[in-house]
Every structure is written in C-alpha cells, then in structure tokens.
C-alpha cells in the first residue's frame, strides 16, 4: 500500500510527461498531492504553459519573417522590372549597342542604371547609387530614377538635369539621403 501510494503518482507523472514530450502541450500533469511529487507536477504544468507561449511566439515570428520575405521578393522583382532588361534595347538602331545588368547586394537597394532615347539622335545613360541600403534606398532610387528620366527627356543639358533633380530630391528630405549619379548624353549622329 505504501509503495503504491508512492509509485502511482510517479507513474501518472511519467505518463503525462511522456505525452508532453511527444508534443501534446494540452496535456496537464495531475496534481494530487502536496508533497514533492505534487510540486514537481505543478512545475511541469508551468513548464507546459511556458512552452505553449514560446511555441506561439516562434510561430508568430516565423510567420512575420515569411511575410517580410515575400514582400522583399516582390520588391526585388518590382525594382528589377524598373531597370532596362530587354536586349538588344534598340534593335532598329545600328549606331550603337548597349547592355547592362545589376545584382544588388541585398534583396533591394539603391543602385540603379537607366538608358533611354531623348530624341532621334540622343541617348541618355545613367549610372547611380543611392546612399544606404535596403527598402529606404530602394524607395529613394525609384524617385531619383523617375526624376532624372523626366528631366532629361525635356532636352536640357546634363548639368541642368542634375541640378533640377537635386533640388527636387532635397525638398522634404529629412533623412538626408542622397544619390551619386553619372549622367551622360550620347549624340550618336556625331
């Protein structure tokens, strides 16, 4: 009788802990005594609650990382889609050939290139790098790229293009971001 009163709670505790070890975090260890076995059972119940909380946190963090990863993959494809990528770029033009590619160090970033016809005789070529990395640089890159192209297509000289773009980029730029740009206008008739 004495032996059974000691071993039965231990066996129940062992069976419950075995189910917990198999991943059943809904399993509760029965607390039937006020002795050391009861205290151990209560400790296992606290551990189960802590494990459930930890697993939920890990699940939430993993889901958030997957969501961010998916968004970064989409941003990478959007950014790559903004850069010229069809070659030959001007198949009807025999005066020149141009090719470019970019491999960002991170999923998205601030490096970019562009080239486009301003008119029938002038090709604009842009190579640039935005300060910083990641999503902020990518957003600034989009703005800079659009501003440069819009200004260059007005036909003004490269100096004026960059001056105009610089003034626009400085407006409301509280983060102090900047872009280093090389802009060339190629007159392929001369």
């Amino acid at each position: 009788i004495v032996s059974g009163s000691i071993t039965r709670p231990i066996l129940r505790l062992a069976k419950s802990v075995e189910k917990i070890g198999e991943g059943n975090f809904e399993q509760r260890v029965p607390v039937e005594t006020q002795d050391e076995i009861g205290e151990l059972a209560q400790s296992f119940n606290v551990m189960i609650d802590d494990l459930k909380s930890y697993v939920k946190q890990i699940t939430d963090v993993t889901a958030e990382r997957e969501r961010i990863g998916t968004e970064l993959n989409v941003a990478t494809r959007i950014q790559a889609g903004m850069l010229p990528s069809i070659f030959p770029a001007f198949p009807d033009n025999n005066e020149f050939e141009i090719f470019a590619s970019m491999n960002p160090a991170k999923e998205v970033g601030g490096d970019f290139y562009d080239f486009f016809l301003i008119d029938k005789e002038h090709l604009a070529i842009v190579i640039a790098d935005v300060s910083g990395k990641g999503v902020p640089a990518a957003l600034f890159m989009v703005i800079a790229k659009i501003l440069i192209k819009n200004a260059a297509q007005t036909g003004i000289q490269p100096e004026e293009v960059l001056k105009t773009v610089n003034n626009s980029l400085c407006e409301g730029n509280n983060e102090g971001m900047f872009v280093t740009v090389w802009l060339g206008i190629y007159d392929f008739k001369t």
Side-chain angles (χ1 to χ4, degrees):
I1 294 175
V2 172
S3 174
S5 67
I6 294 173
T7 57
R8 273 193 300 275
I10 292 174
L11 289 174
R12 279 195 294 266
L13 176 68
K15 285 182 184 180
S16 295
V17 170
E18 185 178 327
K19 289 179 183 175
I20 294 165
E22 292 169 355
N24 180 0
F25 296 140
E26 300 305 317
Q27 176 68 39
R28 303 306 289 176
V29 178
V31 180
E32 299 174 354
T33 62
Q34 300 297 322
D35 57 8
E36 291 83 4
I37 299 297
E39 287 181 29
L40 184 59
Q42 186 60 37
S43 294
F44 274 111
N45 287 333
V46 169
M47 181 186 70
I48 293 167
D49 292 338
D50 291 345
L51 280 172
K52 284 170 59 175
S53 175
Y54 179 71
V55 167
K56 182 179 179 344
Q57 288 174 355
I58 292 293
T59 302
D60 292 347
V61 166
T62 302
E64 181 65 13
R65 282 188 181 168
E66 287 175 4
R67 184 191 65 77
I68 290 170
T70 299
E71 288 180 5
L72 282 174
N73 286 336
V74 170
T76 300
R77 289 194 307 272
I78 290 170
Q79 185 175 31
M82 293 187 71
L83 303 177
S85 61
I86 298 173
F87 300 100
F90 306 103
D92 298 333
N93 194 316
N94 296 325
E95 287 85 7
F96 63 89
E97 292 181 19
I98 190 166
F99 176 85
S101 68
M102 184 183 79
N103 300 310
K106 291 189 170 193
E107 289 86 356
V108 292
D111 300 338
F112 71 96
Y113 66 87
D114 200 1
F115 52 84
F116 49 89
L117 291 173
I118 294 174
D119 55 36
K120 293 182 180 181
E121 298 178 359
H122 296 92
L123 174 74
I125 303 168
V126 180
I127 302 170
D129 182 17
V130 173
S131 61
K133 298 291 177 207
V135 174
L139 290 172
F140 204 76
M141 173 273 227
V142 170
I143 295 166
K145 181 182 177 304
I146 291 168
L147 288 173
I148 292 167
K149 186 171 186 175
N150 288 344
Q153 287 182 324
T154 65
I156 60 178
Q157 294 298 310
E159 175 186 350
E160 288 301 313
V161 169
L162 295 179
K163 187 176 181 180
T164 301
V165 170
N166 186 60
N167 290 338
S168 294
L169 288 175
C170 287
E171 291 176 19
N173 184 356
N174 298 332
E175 298 300 317
M177 295 188 77
F178 61 92
V179 59
T180 304
V181 178
W182 180 88
L183 168 65
I185 306 294
Y186 173 53
D187 183 336
F188 52 88
K189 293 298 181 185
T190 63

